[in-house]
Amino acid sequence: MSERVSTTTRGGQATTGLGEPTTAPGPLRIETVVVPADLDAPEAWAVHGTVLVSEAVDTQVYGHTDLSLDAGTVVGTVASGDYRRTVRRVAVADGAAPGSPARPEDVVGRSMVSLPLEGSTHVALVHVAVHPEHRRCGVGTALWDDALALARDAGRSVVQGDSSFAPEPSPGPDALEAPTGSGRVPRDAAATRFVLGRGFTLEQVQRHSTLGLPVPAERLDPLRAAATERAADYRVHVWTDDVPEEWLDQLAVLETRMSTDAPSAGLEIEEDPWDAQRVRTTLQDVHDRGQGFVVAAAEHVPTGSLAGFSMVSLPHDKPEVVYQEDTLVLREHRGRSLGMLVKVAVVDELARSRPAARRVHTWNAQENAHMLAINVALGFAPASVDAEWQLRLDPPA
Ligand SMILES: CC(C)(COP(=O)(O)OP(=O)(O)OC[C@H]1O[C@@H](n2cnc3c(N)ncnc32)[C@H](O)[C@@H]1OP(=O)(O)O)[C@@H](O)C(=O)NCCC(=O)NCCS
């Protein structure tokens, strides 16, 4: 999946079967991405280099850059450190001394190590990506060794990462099956070989789907009518770019449940505790990285409590693109079409306030039948798959 850090962290792009060594880079140096004074400042070169590599890799995998990192997200993830510490590095092959500035075009690879400071504090999320023109020259290995050292130094015992493939391969000897029984990735792809060679195991496959906007009324109207009828005890709130203070505590409960209730297969994930301040900080982070958002939440009217929600983020520099973030209905409120109700409310709000939006991207565990059924009914179509990899680190000797 494209590595866009949101309320949950996403990461990675990959490609199938490229094979031959390409341009051998010169002597390699690995530099840390720093928060620049602004995006035109000389030290912003590594931010822009990270974006260029992300776009080059995505273009190869998906044929578009909808999911690529933008400069605001790169800076935002490095800068915001209340709930996770994120270290980004770049590999440069310009022959200059360590610490020298470089041109963004000279960045041949990038890495990210993201360390949760709450919840799964034993985990390091790692992503390594190499520009397609500089593969099979050891750049990925150098970035991986560096990232692994960071994860170990931070005392993490589990490394998780992911990589994307389009399309999902057919069943057969060339496909690696998820242990959940749902989803496949290509066995011979560069990313698969790279991570398996480092001891990772495949734990889960996520389906990436896209929904074309606007959704035709003849599809949406019956879905809205049926969900509204079944959810008679509920009222939908829609919040754009701001959430009223009085709902933050309840939204925090829903976000906390998100960390335990979404299927995670064999991935070691602990409950991630949220409170009102964390919701506030996270929404501010979305704003600071140059995105708007829409939240639709279902209130159970008799008790005044939130039963479910769905959120999307809207990158201002890509008005036609929408990223689906978290969607959850509390267990005790399931079976009343609330998932459909809140998702339809988001689509309605996009039609009203974001008419330029043309596609929503979403990711769901392939075994998450209920969520996938809602998305398929709305019109989401499969676009690619993400492998979720995991590596348990041996304790230091
Ligand atoms: C995976 C990736 C990072 C590898 O980068 P790289 O610079 O080409 O990696 P290296 O040159 O260090 O290769 C290391 C080893 O990985 C394996 N490997 C990498 N690409 C391979 C390919 N196309 N075919 C077979 N094996 C491959 C080989 O064992 C290779 O060692 P070798 O060249 O000595 O045979 C790169 O393909 C990439 O950016 N993919 C997209 C992003 C992604 O999915 N990242 C992985 C998830 S975190």
Side-chain angles (χ1 to χ4, degrees):
M1 77 182 75
S2 103
E3 184 231 303
R4 296 179 305 99
V5 175
S6 57
T7 46
T8 53
T9 299
R10 306 192 168 123
Q13 298 83 16
T15 184
T16 49
L18 315 160
E20 296 309 309
T22 45
T23 316
L28 206 62
R29 59 189 170 109
I30 294 180
E31 304 284 355
T32 302
V33 179
V34 297
V35 176
D38 61 64
L39 290 175
D40 296 322
E43 70 274 16
W45 66 268
V47 172
H48 299 301
T50 297
V51 171
L52 288 181
V53 170
S54 175
E55 290 179 345
V57 173
D58 276 12
T59 300
Q60 191 178 53
V61 178
Y62 309 112
H64 61 71
T65 58
D66 276 12
L67 310 177
S68 304
L69 286 169
D70 58 88
T73 301
V74 174
V75 174
T77 49
V78 172
S80 67
D82 288 344
Y83 302 100
R84 63 175 63 237
R85 185 163 79 88
T86 300
V87 179
R88 293 186 178 278
R89 297 220 163 124
V90 289
V92 193
D94 61 357
S100 311
R103 299 182 311 156
E105 315 79 88
D106 289 333
V107 171
V108 293
R110 70 177 187 90
S111 71
M112 182 207 68
V113 178
S114 183
L115 304 165
L117 302 177
E118 307 242 1
S120 299
T121 52
H122 63 302
V123 171
L125 300 158
V126 171
H127 187 69
V128 169
V130 176
H131 193 291
E133 287 170 16
H134 300 282
R135 301 257 171 98
R136 297 304 293 277
C137 305
V139 178
T141 299
L143 285 166
W144 161 248
D145 289 346
D146 174 70
L148 181 63
L150 266 168
R152 283 195 192 281
D153 286 351
R156 305 293 156 132
S157 56
V158 171
V159 177
Q160 293 168 353
D162 60 3
S163 47
S164 303
F165 306 93
E168 181 175 26
S170 307
D174 295 340
L176 183 62
E177 298 273 348
T180 57
S182 302
R184 297 170 298 277
V185 297
R187 198 179 277 281
D188 273 340
T192 308
R193 287 179 174 238
F194 183 84
V195 298
L196 293 182
R198 276 147 191 81
F200 281 83
T201 49
L202 177 64
E203 299 293 344
Q204 190 181 43
V205 171
Q206 299 255 344
R207 182 193 300 179
H208 159 221
S209 318
T210 56
L211 172 67
L213 296 177
V215 179
E218 54 271 29
R219 192 187 315 144
L220 203 54
D221 290 351
L223 295 172
R224 186 191 305 101
T228 306
E229 194 184 328
R230 282 191 78 194
D233 283 346
Y234 299 82
R235 160 167 67 208
V236 178
H237 300 267
V238 177
W239 300 307
T240 303
D241 295 341
D242 196 17
V243 174
E245 278 288 314
E246 67 260 35
W247 294 108
L248 293 181
D249 284 324
Q250 294 206 44
L251 212 47
V253 171
L254 297 175
E255 286 287 9
T256 302
R257 291 281 283 273
M258 193 72 211
S259 63
T260 53
D261 288 12
S264 54
L267 294 165
E268 287 192 21
I269 294 175
E270 298 293 324
E271 183 179 276
D272 196 11
W274 284 63
D275 57 14
Q277 183 52 40
R278 184 164 176 186
V279 177
R280 238 180 254 120
T281 304
T282 301
L283 296 179
Q284 185 62 42
D285 287 347
V286 172
H287 172 79
D288 291 349
R289 66 175 181 250
Q291 298 182 351
F293 66 84
V294 175
V295 176
E299 176 194 354
H300 182 236
V301 177
T303 57
S305 61
L306 290 189
F309 80 118
S310 184
M311 172 171 168
V312 296
S313 58
L314 313 164
H316 294 313
D317 63 338
K318 292 175 185 158
E320 70 286 6
V321 176
V322 179
Y323 304 126
Q324 177 71 57
E325 307 285 352
D326 295 338
T327 299
L328 174 95
V329 175
L330 293 176
R331 285 187 193 284
E332 50 274 32
H333 294 278
R334 292 195 185 155
R336 296 177 180 85
S337 298
L338 295 182
M340 181 62 85
L341 193 71
V342 289
K343 291 205 83 163
V344 169
V346 167
V347 171
D348 284 343
E349 179 59 23
L350 291 173
R352 250 191 311 274
S353 62
R354 186 88 167 181
R358 287 293 165 269
R359 45 200 179 271
V360 185
H361 293 276
T362 195
W363 291 261
N364 308 103
Q366 279 278 33
E367 66 275 24
N368 194 349
H370 293 301
M371 189 76 251
L372 284 170
I374 292 170
N375 286 343
V376 168
L378 279 165
F380 277 92
S384 68
V385 281
D386 278 1
E388 304 292 333
W389 309 105
Q390 183 165 265
L391 169 68
R392 290 186 181 81
L393 300 179
D394 295 331

